Amino acid sequence: MTNTTTASGEEGVAMDVENNTVRRPWAPYVEATLGFRNHWYPAFFSNQLEEGACRGETLLGERVLFKRVEGRVYAIEDRCIHRGVALSVRPECHTKNTISCWYHGFTYDVRDGKLVAIITDPESTLVGKRNLKNYVVEEHKNMVFIFIGDGAPTPLALDLQPGFLDADLAIYPNGENEVVNSNWRLAAENGVDASHIYIHRNSALVNVAKRPVSLASYFLSREGMVHDKDGHPKGVVKGAGQRIQVWETEIEGVKVSSQYRPAPDAPPGKGTDTSLWLPCGLKVDPFPRPDLIQFEWYVPRDEGSHHYIVTWGKRTTDKSEIKQFNYEMDAIWKDLVVNKFNNEDVLAREAMESFYADEDGWNQEQLFRPDMIIGEWRRLASKHGRAIQRKRPTRLTAKARD
């Protein structure tokens, strides 16, 4: 007979004491080391790929080559069918529509991935009969998006933070795009973590803004937290009205308190709503100031790293206001947020990586009350992630299989 107990802070999570394993309602999420397949992901900003240029990226463990042809971005597998050479290592383009492998000259049409020539064997019977995988790509709001999956893609709007594609929302074109050495899930959970504001309490951004920032918060209920209506983006929302703020605590008689706190008689104001949406997008509204919205994505790269993409939006269609918005982002806010606020988040994600990758962290973690939203995110992702991305299969010889 198996003994069970409830893990600290987690409702409905049973521990199999005999086998030292946890039976959780988010098993698919734990399996999704490389993310969820059949979803749209941002790849990079539009200005990072000029006309005629090529760019290689690893997304969800898949090597992808992008090329811009007559203004449009195309994407094919970045792996020559001959011997697997990455085409992006040394892009060789003899025509605008093609890329040739720099090793033996296998040449592909970037618009559909078809093998159209082999420079070192012009009469090869492979020509016209082989092809590389090609991907569906869309470009909106100064960003390039790619569908990683099979068959016809779903509408892009279902895989974006609500409002991102609104016609009256101007998006900053020079956002941050960096590789962070942690699994994408640790980044996503960090973004919506209800108590991680503690690491930002003394950041330069907080000191500049001088706005009230609590030490942490915890939830009273799940009401309104989960958004999973059919035909709409799926996500969880950390609404300002659903939680209790922690402003002060005491350790051995020493008070630890927030640097900036609201006045006792201050009327309740509009708080910041932070929300996390499938497959991996965060929305912070408003931030870093009342007229701006911050958007983040944690795109899986491989099992131990992700692409951290950050930009901002402002509701305006006025060209002079957009120009001023972009100028202020360049001159003030990008550095202040990315290098003097978000850098703390990057440090936290990378500091967790070995625990979850090598030390059975998914079973050993001890969640507490503020982590309610993380549990809801894991449940939602497990239920609505369209498919789990798997590693590219490795062909083994019969001897190796035996």
Side-chain angles (χ1 to χ4, degrees), residues 167-188:
D168 67 341
L169 185 68
I171 296 295
Y172 175 62
N174 303 315
E176 181 73 3
N177 184 0
E178 64 174 308
V179 173
V180 175
N181 293 318
S182 82
N183 186 262
W184 74 277
R185 294 165 299 181
L186 305 183

PDB file of all heavy atoms in Angstrom, residues 167-188:
ATOM      1  N   ALA A 167      -4.464  47.874 -33.782  1.00  0.00           N
ATOM      2  CA  ALA A 167      -4.002  48.872 -34.747  1.00  0.00           C
ATOM      3  C   ALA A 167      -3.493  50.141 -34.081  1.00  0.00           C
ATOM      4  O   ALA A 167      -2.639  50.843 -34.633  1.00  0.00           O
ATOM      5  CB  ALA A 167      -5.142  49.209 -35.717  1.00  0.00           C
ATOM      6  N   ASP A 168      -4.009  50.466 -32.894  1.00  0.00           N
ATOM      7  CA  ASP A 168      -3.607  51.707 -32.233  1.00  0.00           C
ATOM      8  C   ASP A 168      -2.447  51.517 -31.257  1.00  0.00           C
ATOM      9  O   ASP A 168      -2.119  52.429 -30.499  1.00  0.00           O
ATOM     10  CB  ASP A 168      -4.788  52.331 -31.496  1.00  0.00           C
ATOM     11  CG  ASP A 168      -5.265  51.493 -30.316  1.00  0.00           C
ATOM     12  OD1 ASP A 168      -4.944  50.278 -30.275  1.00  0.00           O
ATOM     13  OD2 ASP A 168      -5.948  52.038 -29.428  1.00  0.00           O
ATOM     14  N   LEU A 169      -1.800  50.344 -31.270  1.00  0.00           N
ATOM     15  CA  LEU A 169      -0.681  50.088 -30.375  1.00  0.00           C
ATOM     16  C   LEU A 169       0.624  50.131 -31.169  1.00  0.00           C
ATOM     17  O   LEU A 169       0.881  49.269 -32.018  1.00  0.00           O
ATOM     18  CB  LEU A 169      -0.829  48.736 -29.685  1.00  0.00           C
ATOM     19  CG  LEU A 169       0.231  48.421 -28.622  1.00  0.00           C
ATOM     20  CD1 LEU A 169       0.063  49.345 -27.411  1.00  0.00           C
ATOM     21  CD2 LEU A 169       0.157  46.961 -28.178  1.00  0.00           C
ATOM     22  N   ALA A 170       1.438  51.148 -30.897  1.00  0.00           N
ATOM     23  CA  ALA A 170       2.754  51.262 -31.533  1.00  0.00           C
ATOM     24  C   ALA A 170       3.745  50.421 -30.750  1.00  0.00           C
ATOM     25  O   ALA A 170       3.792  50.484 -29.515  1.00  0.00           O
ATOM     26  CB  ALA A 170       3.208  52.718 -31.557  1.00  0.00           C
ATOM     27  N   ILE A 171       4.547  49.612 -31.455  1.00  0.00           N
ATOM     28  CA  ILE A 171       5.522  48.728 -30.809  1.00  0.00           C
ATOM     29  C   ILE A 171       6.935  49.228 -31.085  1.00  0.00           C
ATOM     30  O   ILE A 171       7.302  49.511 -32.235  1.00  0.00           O
ATOM     31  CB  ILE A 171       5.373  47.281 -31.299  1.00  0.00           C
ATOM     32  CG1 ILE A 171       4.003  46.729 -30.902  1.00  0.00           C
ATOM     33  CG2 ILE A 171       6.481  46.392 -30.741  1.00  0.00           C
ATOM     34  CD1 ILE A 171       3.768  46.594 -29.413  1.00  0.00           C
ATOM     35  N   TYR A 172       7.724  49.337 -30.046  1.00  0.00           N
ATOM     36  CA  TYR A 172       9.120  49.768 -30.140  1.00  0.00           C
ATOM     37  C   TYR A 172       9.922  48.767 -30.967  1.00  0.00           C
ATOM     38  O   TYR A 172       9.906  47.569 -30.680  1.00  0.00           O
ATOM     39  CB  TYR A 172       9.682  49.877 -28.725  1.00  0.00           C
ATOM     40  CG  TYR A 172      11.143  50.200 -28.623  1.00  0.00           C
ATOM     41  CD1 TYR A 172      11.665  51.395 -29.121  1.00  0.00           C
ATOM     42  CD2 TYR A 172      12.013  49.306 -27.984  1.00  0.00           C
ATOM     43  CE1 TYR A 172      13.008  51.692 -28.989  1.00  0.00           C
ATOM     44  CE2 TYR A 172      13.358  49.604 -27.847  1.00  0.00           C
ATOM     45  CZ  TYR A 172      13.856  50.795 -28.357  1.00  0.00           C
ATOM     46  OH  TYR A 172      15.189  51.077 -28.219  1.00  0.00           O
ATOM     47  N   PRO A 173      10.630  49.238 -32.010  1.00  0.00           N
ATOM     48  CA  PRO A 173      11.273  48.308 -32.950  1.00  0.00           C
ATOM     49  C   PRO A 173      12.652  47.812 -32.550  1.00  0.00           C
ATOM     50  O   PRO A 173      13.187  46.905 -33.198  1.00  0.00           O
ATOM     51  CB  PRO A 173      11.378  49.145 -34.226  1.00  0.00           C
ATOM     52  CG  PRO A 173      11.566  50.547 -33.726  1.00  0.00           C
ATOM     53  CD  PRO A 173      10.729  50.633 -32.479  1.00  0.00           C
ATOM     54  N   ASN A 174      13.246  48.376 -31.488  1.00  0.00           N
ATOM     55  CA  ASN A 174      14.627  48.050 -31.134  1.00  0.00           C
ATOM     56  C   ASN A 174      14.727  47.352 -29.782  1.00  0.00           C
ATOM     57  O   ASN A 174      15.618  47.632 -28.978  1.00  0.00           O
ATOM     58  CB  ASN A 174      15.480  49.332 -31.111  1.00  0.00           C
ATOM     59  CG  ASN A 174      15.438  50.081 -32.420  1.00  0.00           C
ATOM     60  OD1 ASN A 174      15.560  49.483 -33.482  1.00  0.00           O
ATOM     61  ND2 ASN A 174      15.243  51.381 -32.353  1.00  0.00           N
ATOM     62  N   GLY A 175      13.809  46.418 -29.531  1.00  0.00           N
ATOM     63  CA  GLY A 175      13.787  45.748 -28.240  1.00  0.00           C
ATOM     64  C   GLY A 175      14.989  44.856 -28.004  1.00  0.00           C
ATOM     65  O   GLY A 175      15.875  44.708 -28.844  1.00  0.00           O
ATOM     66  N   GLU A 176      15.019  44.240 -26.843  1.00  0.00           N
ATOM     67  CA  GLU A 176      16.116  43.363 -26.434  1.00  0.00           C
ATOM     68  C   GLU A 176      15.878  41.952 -26.951  1.00  0.00           C
ATOM     69  O   GLU A 176      14.746  41.446 -26.933  1.00  0.00           O
ATOM     70  CB  GLU A 176      16.222  43.349 -24.912  1.00  0.00           C
ATOM     71  CG  GLU A 176      17.340  42.493 -24.352  1.00  0.00           C
ATOM     72  CD  GLU A 176      18.722  43.106 -24.569  1.00  0.00           C
ATOM     73  OE1 GLU A 176      18.799  44.238 -25.114  1.00  0.00           O
ATOM     74  OE2 GLU A 176      19.709  42.461 -24.179  1.00  0.00           O
ATOM     75  N   ASN A 177      16.942  41.302 -27.388  1.00  0.00           N
ATOM     76  CA  ASN A 177      16.877  39.919 -27.862  1.00  0.00           C
ATOM     77  C   ASN A 177      18.185  39.248 -27.469  1.00  0.00           C
ATOM     78  O   ASN A 177      19.212  39.459 -28.108  1.00  0.00           O
ATOM     79  CB  ASN A 177      16.681  39.886 -29.384  1.00  0.00           C
ATOM     80  CG  ASN A 177      16.511  38.468 -29.920  1.00  0.00           C
ATOM     81  OD1 ASN A 177      16.535  37.495 -29.180  1.00  0.00           O
ATOM     82  ND2 ASN A 177      16.335  38.357 -31.223  1.00  0.00           N
ATOM     83  N   GLU A 178      18.167  38.450 -26.407  1.00  0.00           N
ATOM     84  CA  GLU A 178      19.381  37.821 -25.915  1.00  0.00           C
ATOM     85  C   GLU A 178      19.112  36.365 -25.554  1.00  0.00           C
ATOM     86  O   GLU A 178      17.963  35.948 -25.377  1.00  0.00           O
ATOM     87  CB  GLU A 178      19.923  38.558 -24.686  1.00  0.00           C
ATOM     88  CG  GLU A 178      18.993  38.511 -23.467  1.00  0.00           C
ATOM     89  CD  GLU A 178      19.615  39.127 -22.225  1.00  0.00           C
ATOM     90  OE1 GLU A 178      20.752  38.730 -21.877  1.00  0.00           O
ATOM     91  OE2 GLU A 178      18.957  39.999 -21.614  1.00  0.00           O
ATOM     92  N   VAL A 179      20.179  35.589 -25.449  1.00  0.00           N
ATOM     93  CA  VAL A 179      20.083  34.195 -25.030  1.00  0.00           C
ATOM     94  C   VAL A 179      20.405  34.116 -23.545  1.00  0.00           C
ATOM     95  O   VAL A 179      21.423  34.652 -23.090  1.00  0.00           O
ATOM     96  CB  VAL A 179      21.043  33.297 -25.831  1.00  0.00           C
ATOM     97  CG1 VAL A 179      21.048  31.884 -25.267  1.00  0.00           C
ATOM     98  CG2 VAL A 179      20.636  33.272 -27.305  1.00  0.00           C
ATOM     99  N   VAL A 180      19.518  33.477 -22.788  1.00  0.00           N
ATOM    100  CA  VAL A 180      19.703  33.304 -21.342  1.00  0.00           C
ATOM    101  C   VAL A 180      19.874  31.813 -21.054  1.00  0.00           C
ATOM    102  O   VAL A 180      19.146  30.978 -21.601  1.00  0.00           O
ATOM    103  CB  VAL A 180      18.497  33.867 -20.564  1.00  0.00           C
ATOM    104  CG1 VAL A 180      18.622  33.573 -19.074  1.00  0.00           C
ATOM    105  CG2 VAL A 180      18.380  35.377 -20.800  1.00  0.00           C
ATOM    106  N   ASN A 181      20.805  31.487 -20.196  1.00  0.00           N
ATOM    107  CA  ASN A 181      21.138  30.093 -19.926  1.00  0.00           C
ATOM    108  C   ASN A 181      20.262  29.481 -18.831  1.00  0.00           C
ATOM    109  O   ASN A 181      20.717  29.160 -17.728  1.00  0.00           O
ATOM    110  CB  ASN A 181      22.618  29.974 -19.557  1.00  0.00           C
ATOM    111  CG  ASN A 181      23.524  30.296 -20.715  1.00  0.00           C
ATOM    112  OD1 ASN A 181      23.270  29.888 -21.853  1.00  0.00           O
ATOM    113  ND2 ASN A 181      24.573  31.059 -20.466  1.00  0.00           N
ATOM    114  N   SER A 182      19.005  29.342 -19.167  1.00  0.00           N
ATOM    115  CA  SER A 182      18.071  28.593 -18.315  1.00  0.00           C
ATOM    116  C   SER A 182      16.959  28.075 -19.192  1.00  0.00           C
ATOM    117  O   SER A 182      16.709  28.607 -20.276  1.00  0.00           O
ATOM    118  CB  SER A 182      17.492  29.464 -17.197  1.00  0.00           C
ATOM    119  OG  SER A 182      16.399  30.239 -17.660  1.00  0.00           O
ATOM    120  N   ASN A 183      16.255  27.049 -18.729  1.00  0.00           N
ATOM    121  CA  ASN A 183      15.120  26.531 -19.465  1.00  0.00           C
ATOM    122  C   ASN A 183      14.020  27.590 -19.543  1.00  0.00           C
ATOM    123  O   ASN A 183      13.854  28.400 -18.631  1.00  0.00           O
ATOM    124  CB  ASN A 183      14.588  25.268 -18.789  1.00  0.00           C
ATOM    125  CG  ASN A 183      13.497  24.602 -19.596  1.00  0.00           C
ATOM    126  OD1 ASN A 183      12.311  24.785 -19.329  1.00  0.00           O
ATOM    127  ND2 ASN A 183      13.886  23.842 -20.613  1.00  0.00           N
ATOM    128  N   TRP A 184      13.254  27.571 -20.611  1.00  0.00           N
ATOM    129  CA  TRP A 184      12.225  28.583 -20.849  1.00  0.00           C
ATOM    130  C   TRP A 184      11.177  28.627 -19.751  1.00  0.00           C
ATOM    131  O   TRP A 184      10.636  29.694 -19.431  1.00  0.00           O
ATOM    132  CB  TRP A 184      11.549  28.336 -22.199  1.00  0.00           C
ATOM    133  CG  TRP A 184      10.600  27.161 -22.203  1.00  0.00           C
ATOM    134  CD1 TRP A 184      10.910  25.849 -22.367  1.00  0.00           C
ATOM    135  CD2 TRP A 184       9.179  27.210 -21.997  1.00  0.00           C
ATOM    136  NE1 TRP A 184       9.787  25.071 -22.292  1.00  0.00           N
ATOM    137  CE2 TRP A 184       8.699  25.880 -22.064  1.00  0.00           C
ATOM    138  CE3 TRP A 184       8.269  28.242 -21.779  1.00  0.00           C
ATOM    139  CZ2 TRP A 184       7.353  25.563 -21.906  1.00  0.00           C
ATOM    140  CZ3 TRP A 184       6.924  27.934 -21.622  1.00  0.00           C
ATOM    141  CH2 TRP A 184       6.484  26.606 -21.685  1.00  0.00           C
ATOM    142  N   ARG A 185      10.877  27.478 -19.123  1.00  0.00           N
ATOM    143  CA  ARG A 185       9.819  27.446 -18.109  1.00  0.00           C
ATOM    144  C   ARG A 185      10.202  28.229 -16.864  1.00  0.00           C
ATOM    145  O   ARG A 185       9.351  28.853 -16.221  1.00  0.00           O
ATOM    146  CB  ARG A 185       9.483  25.994 -17.753  1.00  0.00           C
ATOM    147  CG  ARG A 185       8.862  25.206 -18.899  1.00  0.00           C
ATOM    148  CD  ARG A 185       8.882  23.720 -18.639  1.00  0.00           C
ATOM    149  NE  ARG A 185      10.260  23.239 -18.490  1.00  0.00           N
ATOM    150  CZ  ARG A 185      10.585  21.974 -18.263  1.00  0.00           C
ATOM    151  NH1 ARG A 185       9.634  21.061 -18.165  1.00  0.00           N
ATOM    152  NH2 ARG A 185      11.847  21.613 -18.153  1.00  0.00           N
ATOM    153  N   LEU A 186      11.470  28.200 -16.503  1.00  0.00           N
ATOM    154  CA  LEU A 186      11.927  28.962 -15.342  1.00  0.00           C
ATOM    155  C   LEU A 186      11.781  30.454 -15.604  1.00  0.00           C
ATOM    156  O   LEU A 186      11.463  31.233 -14.695  1.00  0.00           O
ATOM    157  CB  LEU A 186      13.373  28.607 -15.025  1.00  0.00           C
ATOM    158  CG  LEU A 186      13.674  27.125 -14.808  1.00  0.00           C
ATOM    159  CD1 LEU A 186      15.126  26.926 -14.421  1.00  0.00           C
ATOM    160  CD2 LEU A 186      12.752  26.532 -13.740  1.00  0.00           C
ATOM    161  N   ALA A 187      11.990  30.864 -16.848  1.00  0.00           N
ATOM    162  CA  ALA A 187      11.823  32.264 -17.215  1.00  0.00           C
ATOM    163  C   ALA A 187      10.354  32.672 -17.186  1.00  0.00           C
ATOM    164  O   ALA A 187       9.994  33.725 -16.652  1.00  0.00           O
ATOM    165  CB  ALA A 187      12.414  32.510 -18.596  1.00  0.00           C
ATOM    166  N   ALA A 188       9.492  31.831 -17.760  1.00  0.00           N
ATOM    167  CA  ALA A 188       8.061  32.142 -17.789  1.00  0.00           C
ATOM    168  C   ALA A 188       7.510  32.266 -16.373  1.00  0.00           C
ATOM    169  O   ALA A 188       6.758  33.200 -16.062  1.00  0.00           O
ATOM    170  CB  ALA A 188       7.312  31.052 -18.554  1.00  0.00           C
TER     171      ALA A 188
END
